[in-house]
Amino acid sequence: MTTLKSDRKGKTAGTHRLISADEDPGFLCAVLHGIQDAVLLHDTKGNVLSYNAKLLSLLGVEENQMENIGSFFDFSADDINFQAGIKFFSDAVDGRDQIFTWQIKKPSDDVILDAEVFLTRIKYGRKWAVLATIKDITDKKRIEHELVNSEKRYRQLVEYSPDGIVIHRDGVIKYINPAGARIFGGAAEDILGCEVLSFFPEEDRGMIAERLRKLYKDETTMPVAEAKMLRRDGRVAHVEFAAIPFSMDGRTAVQVVIRDITQKKIQEEYIRYLALHDTLTGLPNRDLLSDRINQAVERRKRDKKKLAVIYIDLDGFKPVNDTLGHAAGDIALKKIAHRLNEAIRKSDTAARIGGDEFVVLLEAVHDKKEIEGIAGRILDSINEELVIDKTVFHIGASMGISIYPDDSKDHVKLMAMADRAMYVAKNNGKNRYIFCGG
């Protein structure tokens, strides 16, 4: 067994042509040693006849160590590889070229290499021989394995992500993960192929369409935004989402990460409600009332109508607490709040501003007579018998009324003037209403 060698001087190369059997052996030897793949020549039984220098590098051995490697099959990493190698080699001996991946065990350190092997039958003198070229693809296989694992990990991250992940192209949904399908309110197969715009309310589609245009045309990343979404089950969900364009099959697509924030919105709305409403009666509190009066004043400036503020302080409410306790007093306040809402118009506001004090805002009234009619209904509703735990109470109300723009054009002054008028009513016999200045 020898390395490929030549004992003749090289010939001068001729014109452009295929390498032939007439080439100078020195030239052919240089070619075989110069290529990057390992080359072995075997007889038809698999015994190694010769090899190039690359094989020594591949196996990590010196030339004198090759005497211990007599057969092609001595390279086999395990029995499975061995059996497969016999089959491939046998087919090559029969004249059928073979290309396959194989695992080789390096004699120097028993490290396993992944290799791509090509076997072909050639003439060697008067006999047949098998020429093998071996390419080390260990790094390639490792990279492929890492890519597969990376893709698998990414897919698992996407599939098991608690956030919805959607991919759309040309405004049509091409992929949605399980979390996304739950947010969209349907099965993935029912969502794929749907237009993105179909999941948004009509009034928001113009804005969403413009964002889609920027994503596709300008390929600009869209920062986190919030929107209402129409689920397939008919419910409305509040969502926040971010989008980034990317290339898919040579065309621009968009990946969207979407999160259902409906519960968050409900909680925020509830917190906002608590900040602006009386916790006992559910009526607007002083802050919300002040804002509504201010807005009403601005509207009245435009439509030239009047508004009225009625400040109410209950008369005879203390006996309820003294007789049955504060729990009964709370029940009484809830009932009175309900009566106030029943006595006023839907456009008006009844608010509790503390203790047994209430304020009513009358919107867009025409004259004093209309205000008197509503004030009378309020007083009558409060005067109705109040029964708590089978005990009857008679509650009255002292009410002061200020009018925009007659008494003031400032919403703060309107409240203060109605408050003063209420005290006038209380000092003049109680259970009545009195207009500011009257």
Side-chain angles (χ1 to χ4, degrees):
M1 182 173 64
T2 60
T3 56
L4 296 171
K5 297 179 180 179
S6 171
D7 56 2
R8 293 199 301 168
K9 295 181 180 180
K11 295 179 181 178
T12 302
T15 57
H16 185 74
R17 55 184 173 75
L18 288 172
I19 295 175
S20 70
D22 296 329
E23 302 291 345
D24 174 47
F27 166 73
L28 295 177
C29 184
V31 169
L32 289 172
H33 284 301
I35 63 176
Q36 293 299 305
D37 297 339
V39 177
L40 297 93
L41 187 63
H42 313 79
D43 64 20
T44 55
K45 294 183 179 180
N47 298 312
V48 177
L49 299 175
S50 58
Y51 50 87
N52 70 350
K54 184 63 179 178
L55 182 69
L56 300 177
S57 174
L58 178 69
L59 299 180
V61 297
E62 300 294 334
E63 185 175 352
N64 59 355
Q65 295 175 289
M66 284 298 294
E67 298 295 334
N68 299 320
I69 302 174
S71 168
F72 170 77
F73 307 110
D74 291 341
F75 303 149
S76 178
D78 54 36
D79 187 59
I80 295 177
N81 269 269
F82 182 83
Q83 297 300 325
I86 291 176
K87 174 65 170 61
F88 291 128
F89 196 87
S90 176
D91 288 344
V93 170
D94 290 339
R96 295 188 293 274
D97 290 350
Q98 302 293 308
I99 184 167
F100 55 95
T101 56
W102 212 43
Q103 286 192 317
I104 294 173
K105 180 186 289 187
K106 293 174 64 177
S108 57
D109 52 18
D110 290 339
V111 169
I112 304 299
L113 301 178
D114 289 297
E116 184 177 84
V117 180
F118 175 70
L119 301 178
T120 186
R121 189 179 69 175
I122 64 172
K123 271 291 186 180
Y124 184 64
R126 297 180 180 180
K127 298 181 179 180
W128 288 111
V130 175
L131 181 69
T133 56
I134 303 174
K135 180 190 293 290
D136 185 355
I137 60 170
T138 305
D139 288 341
K140 176 185 175 184
K141 296 288 280 187
R142 176 182 55 78
I143 293 171
E144 288 176 350
H145 182 70
E146 289 175 355
L147 286 173
V148 169
N149 285 340
S150 176
E151 182 180 352
K152 184 178 179 181
R153 285 193 297 270
Y154 176 75
R155 180 169 290 277
Q156 287 176 336
L157 285 172
V158 169
E159 290 293 314
Y160 293 103
S161 170
D163 294 330
I165 297 178
V166 180
I167 293 175
H168 58 78
R169 187 172 63 191
D170 300 327
V172 176
I173 296 173
K174 299 296 184 180
Y175 169 81
I176 187 166
N177 72 343
R182 288 193 294 271
I183 294 172
F184 277 61
E189 55 267 27
D190 296 328
I191 298 168
L192 296 177
C194 293
E195 293 188 2
V196 174
L197 289 179
S198 67
F199 291 96
F200 292 91
E202 190 71 37
E203 62 271 20
D204 294 338
R205 290 180 184 176
M207 176 265 293
I208 298 297
E210 175 60 19
R211 289 183 176 180
L212 289 176
R213 185 196 67 78
K214 289 183 178 180
L215 284 166
Y216 288 124
K217 185 177 180 181
D218 302 338
E219 296 188 2
T220 56
T221 299
M222 187 179 72
V224 176
E226 294 184 4
K228 289 182 180 179
M229 193 185 78
L230 300 176
R231 291 163 48 100
R232 284 191 65 85
D233 58 14
R235 291 165 51 199
V236 176
H238 291 270
V239 296
E240 65 177 14
F241 54 93
I244 182 170
F246 70 101
S247 179
M248 184 172 75
D249 299 330
R251 296 164 60 191
T252 300
V254 175
Q255 177 174 296
V256 181
V257 178
I258 185 169
R259 180 176 297 170
D260 189 336
I261 58 170
T262 304
Q263 289 303 314
K264 175 186 173 184
K265 284 293 185 181
I266 291 173
Q267 291 171 358
E268 289 176 352
E269 194 64 35
Y270 182 62
I271 292 171
R272 190 178 298 111
Y273 175 86
L274 291 178
L276 297 174
H277 290 79
D278 174 52
T279 55
L280 176 64
T281 64
L283 294 178
N285 62 14
R286 185 183 293 271
D287 290 337
L288 181 54
L289 172 68
S290 178
D291 181 66
R292 289 189 179 179
I293 294 175
N294 185 41
Q295 292 185 35
V297 167
E298 295 302 316
R299 286 193 291 271
R300 298 299 76 83
K301 289 178 181 178
R302 293 192 295 270
D303 61 22
K304 307 303 181 183
K305 293 181 181 179
K306 299 178 184 292
L307 67 80
V309 175
I310 305 177
Y311 205 112
I312 304 169
D313 185 80
L314 299 181
D315 300 322
F317 181 76
K318 188 172 181 294
V320 179
N321 285 329
D322 293 345
T323 304
L324 299 179
H326 289 287
D330 289 346
I331 294 173
L333 290 171
K334 290 179 181 179
K335 289 188 175 183
I336 290 169
H338 177 72
R339 291 179 182 182
L340 285 176
N341 274 329
E342 290 294 311
I344 62 178
R345 304 165 302 175
K346 289 184 178 180
S347 60
D348 301 328
T349 297
R352 182 187 177 212
I353 59 173
D356 58 358
E357 293 182 330
F358 297 83
V359 173
V360 170
L361 167 64
L362 302 183
E363 289 258 22
V365 290
H366 295 88
D367 51 37
K368 194 171 183 180
K369 183 178 181 180
E370 184 179 4
I371 297 170
E372 286 179 329
I374 300 172
R377 290 203 306 270
I378 292 173
L379 191 58
D380 290 342
S381 68
I382 294 174
N383 287 162
E384 291 178 8
E385 284 187 347
L386 191 64
V387 181
I388 302 174
D389 290 342
K390 300 181 180 179
T391 302
V392 177
F393 296 94
H394 294 280
I395 306 295
S398 297
M399 301 163 51
I401 305 172
S402 62
I403 303 173
Y404 170 92
D406 303 21
D407 300 316
S408 177
K409 295 182 179 180
D410 181 79
H411 72 283
V412 175
K413 290 182 179 179
L414 286 170
M415 278 281 289
M417 296 174 78
D419 185 22
R420 287 198 295 270
M422 179 272 293
Y423 279 106
V424 174
K426 193 172 283 290
N427 293 330
N428 283 272
K430 301 182 179 180
N431 201 37
R432 66 192 65 208
Y433 60 83
I434 287 183
F435 285 90
C436 180

